[in-house]
Amino acid sequence: MHDPDVFRAMHVARFHAEPAIFAAPGRVNLIGEHTDYAEGFVMPVAIDFATLAGISPRSDGKIVLYSENYGEERSFEAAALPAKAGQRWTDYPLGVVSILAGEGHAIPGFSLSLWGDVPLGSGLSSSASVEVATALAVTRLIGVSYPGPVLARLCQRAENEFVEANCGIMDQFISANGAKDHALLLDCRDLSFKLAPIPPNVALVIANTMVKHSIAGGDYATRRAESEAACAIINSHRGGVPFLRDATLEDLEKWGHEMAPNSLKRARHVISENLRTVAASEALLKGDMAEVGRLMAEAHKSYSQDFEGSCEEADAMVALAQDLPGLIGARLTGGGFGGCTINLVEQDQAAAFVEALGSRYAAQTGIVPQIHICHASGGARRLR
Ligand code: GLA
């Protein structure tokens, strides 16, 4: 996370007003990919990369947004907010403001600074961290307080309805509700969750392939539609299957022949991933890290082969980790088609692992990766 004191000084110099400051983390998902919008299970961890949001009131009725990452300031009338996204960074904070306005809150003028160190477009939920940080800041300004799960749902709506990216609830949920040193097993149907401790001798190593991903891109939507088409076929036969969460592998055996080949594969990934995620959470709660690692390996294979959500570089990053000392499990994390892999690594081997993986990946692909040892951090909070 960037230094909140430096951030405060930046806001004061620009807006001549003392900000209230909030932080919302990015996330890494240990297992459970493309299961959230199927009302299934996910197991993310909030990480120590975060977006800072600083807010102070204004008396001129303007909403002035400044991003230190983009080095840009943009100004809007609070009484006449844009109704549609404009394909720029302001869409995320404006989306949150527009959802809050739609909830009946009067939105006054304010200055909002944003500064994040969540790598952009890397599958670590930089956009969810901007949304959740903004939501905390703006709700505080207008004197409203929502429970974390409700705040997460409002932020997801900002992304679905304003940004028009059809994501699930995972990223916003973990950013708002993460817990230090824990992974969160979330049931995306009713938003109930359990926390499972990450053993202190296990390091979270996040390896960025440097291949950019965007869930606003067409691949995410295509995969989602393919899996939902399979669900509709099962539902037409036996009913009670509004989401793939309710389907079984036996359903695919019975009716898979009616599905387009890609739909069948996507659904097989989602259904099996759900089973793996529940099994992995049980293993993590028991401290059985070998089993967690085995399930992660299976999950990557399914993500890559059945869901076709990986890419050459991510497959290479996972393969190159396999025989390195200390590896417990590795897989591509997040929306797919690039971004980062998550590697669970024995703590005392982590530094050497980072070195070795980085040089192997650079030698094989010609791309210099960024590899970080991260820590499971707390969810969004007020800093000052
Ligand atoms: C992105 C979306 C999430 C989830 C993942 C895939 O991160 O924002 O809702 O669907 O992809 O698991």
Side-chain angles (χ1 to χ4, degrees):
M1 185 166 81
H2 288 306
D3 184 344
D5 291 332
V6 174
F7 181 60
R8 176 197 160 267
M10 200 185 276
H11 185 96
V12 171
R14 176 170 293 270
F15 295 117
H16 312 291
E18 191 62 44
I21 298 181
F22 303 82
R27 65 100 188 89
V28 70
N29 188 21
L30 299 186
I31 191 163
E33 226 62 87
H34 290 265
T35 46
D36 60 351
Y37 52 75
E39 295 207 342
F41 295 91
V42 293
M43 205 164 76
V45 176
I47 53 178
D48 41 2
F49 288 122
T51 296
L52 297 174
I55 195 163
S56 53
R58 299 178 68 96
S59 53
D60 59 0
K62 289 190 190 308
I63 292 181
V64 182
L65 306 176
Y66 171 70
S67 163
E68 173 67 11
N69 296 80
Y70 288 91
E72 192 183 30
E73 181 181 302
R74 294 182 67 83
S75 177
F76 305 85
E77 294 298 329
L81 288 170
K84 284 179 70 107
Q87 318 304 326
R88 43 190 341 143
W89 64 269
T90 48
D91 290 348
Y92 298 95
L94 284 179
V96 170
V97 173
S98 127
I99 293 292
L100 289 171
E103 288 292 293
H105 298 299
I107 306 290
F110 61 81
S111 306
L112 181 81
S113 303
L114 295 166
W115 191 26
D117 63 356
V118 187
L120 300 178
S122 301
L124 300 178
S125 296
S126 53
S127 43
S129 75
V130 169
E131 290 154 5
V132 173
T134 302
L136 270 189
V138 176
T139 50
R140 172 83 193 193
L141 182 81
I142 62 178
V144 184
S145 164
Y146 285 112
V150 179
L151 196 81
R153 193 61 98 185
L154 293 172
C155 291
Q156 181 200 13
R157 285 184 49 210
E159 187 134 352
N160 292 166
E161 295 169 26
F162 190 85
V163 182
E164 295 184 335
N166 208 9
C167 65
I169 186 72
M170 167 168 69
D171 305 347
Q172 293 79 10
F173 196 92
I174 183 68
S175 182
N177 303 288
K180 193 171 180 332
D181 301 329
H182 288 76
L184 187 149
L185 174 77
L186 175 66
D187 180 338
C188 299
R189 169 151 283 168
D190 61 8
L191 301 189
S192 60
F193 64 89
K194 275 189 227 157
L195 294 174
I198 312 244
N201 59 340
V202 173
L204 303 174
V205 178
I206 295 178
N208 193 340
T209 62
M210 312 307 279
V211 177
K212 290 263 182 193
H213 117 125
S214 155
I215 65 160
D219 290 327
Y220 183 95
T222 310
R223 295 297 188 282
R224 179 170 177 166
E226 286 166 342
S227 72
E228 289 174 347
C231 188
I233 290 176
I234 301 168
N235 198 40
S236 74
H237 286 286
R238 69 169 178 92
V241 189
F243 293 94
L244 279 179
R245 150 75 175 268
D246 307 297
T248 64
L249 293 170
E250 292 73 57
D251 290 329
L252 295 183
E253 271 161 35
K254 277 194 204 150
W255 298 301
H257 64 276
E258 292 178 24
M259 298 169 188
N262 278 349
S263 277
L264 170 61
K265 288 168 72 179
R266 309 313 181 229
R268 190 163 57 209
H269 165 77
V270 175
I271 297 171
S272 63
E273 183 80 349
N274 232 359
L275 298 170
R276 281 187 293 270
T277 304
V278 173
S281 74
E282 282 161 9
L284 187 59
L285 283 167
K286 280 192 284 186
D288 183 352
M289 295 313 292
E291 178 64 0
V292 174
R294 193 188 66 74
L295 290 161
M296 287 172 73
E298 271 186 16
H300 182 77
K301 196 167 157 210
S302 170
Y303 200 12
S304 177
Q305 295 179 3
D306 272 348
F307 205 76
E308 296 180 86
S310 186
C311 62
E312 212 179 297
E313 293 83 356
D315 285 345
M317 192 73 94
V318 168
L320 293 169
Q322 292 310 314
D323 63 340
L324 288 177
L327 180 77
I328 298 164
R331 55 177 288 280
L332 172 61
T333 188
F337 314 103
C340 295
T341 67
I342 168 70
N343 302 265
L344 297 184
V345 182
E346 286 163 25
Q347 187 71 58
D348 54 358
Q349 309 271 6
F353 179 92
V354 168
E355 274 293 312
L357 183 60
S359 45
R360 281 183 172 186
Y361 182 78
Q364 175 152 333
T365 63
I367 305 169
V368 177
Q370 282 170 6
I371 308 186
H372 314 274
I373 301 179
C374 284
H375 300 95
S377 98
R381 59 206 175 271
R382 181 168 186 180
L383 298 182
R384 58 159 89 209

